[in-house]
Amino acid sequence: MVEPPGPEVVAALRAAGCVFAEDEARLLAEAAAGPAELAGMVARRVAGLPLEQIVGWAEFRGLRVAVEPGVFVPRRRSEFLVERAVAATRPPSVVLDLCCGSGAVGLAVATELETLATGTTTGTTTGSVELHAADVDPAAVRCARRNLPGGHVYQGDLYRPLPAELRGRVDVLVTVTPYVPTGEIRLMPPEARLHEPRAALDGGADGLDVLRRVAEEAPAWLAPRGTLLTETGDRQAPAAERILAAEGLTARVERSADLGATVVRGTLPR
């Protein structure tokens, strides 16, 4: 950490459009080993790189999650997905995080389920959560393996790299599939559009292409009464609900006004 950032750092960040310039300046200063490194970090932020990729971590659900350059940055709204996933099961549980990115969602779900099992927040584990995660992007998989040292992280397309013995055993399947319609990618903030992988953003014409593929195979991987939970856009929620229902899942939409988040939940009947 260098000395507290001077006003020139804050001014540069504010001029670049950083709404929380003072907070960002402090985080950059804490992450920098010296003035020269701080200057380089500020330059990258001014150029539009996500703050989390520059400092190397993001705060998510009270956890510090490693984030590498080129990896999708976990959003605060995805904390609602974690909340609903934890509410959907009790340990011991098998958790699967598809399109896992940094692994933030799977990490938070597993951590909170372990807390329920142990009755403590000290990090004590009982082995009551079996965590699996997968992503097609090598950078995301590398990052997820850093964040999930006690989990099983696979590289490949959706279910393809998963071990066959996981079929029919998943209690909670969580996924933040890419759900931005292709035609709306250009409307996204530059720090996401230019510095996060397109495959983590682009959901096809209506934003639901990947979700259709997840839902199609989900019943084969879910345990009896197992639940699939996916984050989606609010206006896409009715269509997403129909997609899950068409695969035999009992589907419903859940919303958080505080986080501006929408989750579609589908449960496999017994």
Side-chain angles (χ1 to χ4, degrees):
M1 176 179 176
V2 301
E3 293 296 321
E8 70 282 356
V9 172
V10 176
L13 294 173
R14 185 173 289 117
C18 300
V19 177
F20 303 104
E22 291 85 357
D23 293 337
E24 293 200 13
R26 175 180 53 80
L27 289 170
L28 290 169
E30 289 175 353
E37 185 174 11
L38 175 59
M41 291 173 131
V42 171
R44 293 198 295 278
R45 183 64 180 129
V46 168
L49 270 73
L51 175 69
E52 295 84 356
Q53 292 182 1
I54 297 170
V55 301
W57 61 274
E59 183 178 348
F60 182 79
R61 196 77 175 173
L63 302 170
R64 181 173 285 205
V65 179
V67 178
E68 298 181 7
V71 174
F72 182 80
V73 176
R75 276 40 167 188
R76 185 165 179 262
R77 63 176 172 267
S78 297
E79 294 185 2
F80 183 57
L81 178 62
V82 174
E83 175 189 315
R84 301 320 303 155
V86 172
T89 190
R90 285 294 180 269
S93 301
V94 177
V95 177
L96 172 60
D97 184 358
L98 284 185
C99 304
C100 68
S102 65
V105 171
L107 173 64
V109 171
T111 299
E112 295 186 25
L113 287 174
E114 284 285 4
T115 297
L116 288 174
T118 63
T120 177
T121 59
T122 60
T124 303
T125 61
T126 63
S128 63
V129 179
E130 181 184 331
L131 176 60
H132 299 262
D135 201 289
V136 72
D137 180 54
V141 169
R142 183 174 62 247
C143 189
R145 284 175 176 157
R146 289 178 59 194
N147 288 316
L148 307 174
H152 308 274
V153 183
Y154 313 93
Q155 182 182 334
D157 184 35
L158 299 181
Y159 303 96
R160 187 172 299 173
L162 301 179
E165 57 267 25
L166 194 58
R167 283 180 174 268
R169 295 185 55 237
V170 176
D171 297 299
V172 174
L173 193 168
V174 289
T175 181
V176 183
T177 60
Y179 59 86
V180 180
T182 303
E184 296 180 17
I185 296 289
R186 59 185 176 81
L187 304 176
M188 297 188 70
E191 65 181 53
R193 175 168 43 84
L194 301 178
H195 300 289
E196 293 183 315
R198 175 109 180 188
L201 305 173
D202 191 343
D206 64 354
L208 298 173
D209 281 0
V210 180
L211 178 58
R212 289 185 179 90
R213 296 177 55 219
V214 170
E216 183 180 10
E217 293 191 51
W221 295 88
L222 291 173
R225 302 297 298 168
T227 300
L228 161 64
L229 298 107
T230 182
E231 180 180 296
T232 190
D234 189 60
R235 62 187 171 86
Q236 298 162 314
E241 185 178 21
R242 290 192 296 271
I243 288 170
L244 269 58
E247 301 301 335
L249 303 176
T250 302
R252 73 176 189 228
V253 179
E254 301 178 339
R255 295 179 172 87
S256 168
D258 290 342
L259 294 175
T262 302
V263 166
V264 182
R265 168 178 174 164
T267 301
L268 185 68
R270 290 187 184 276

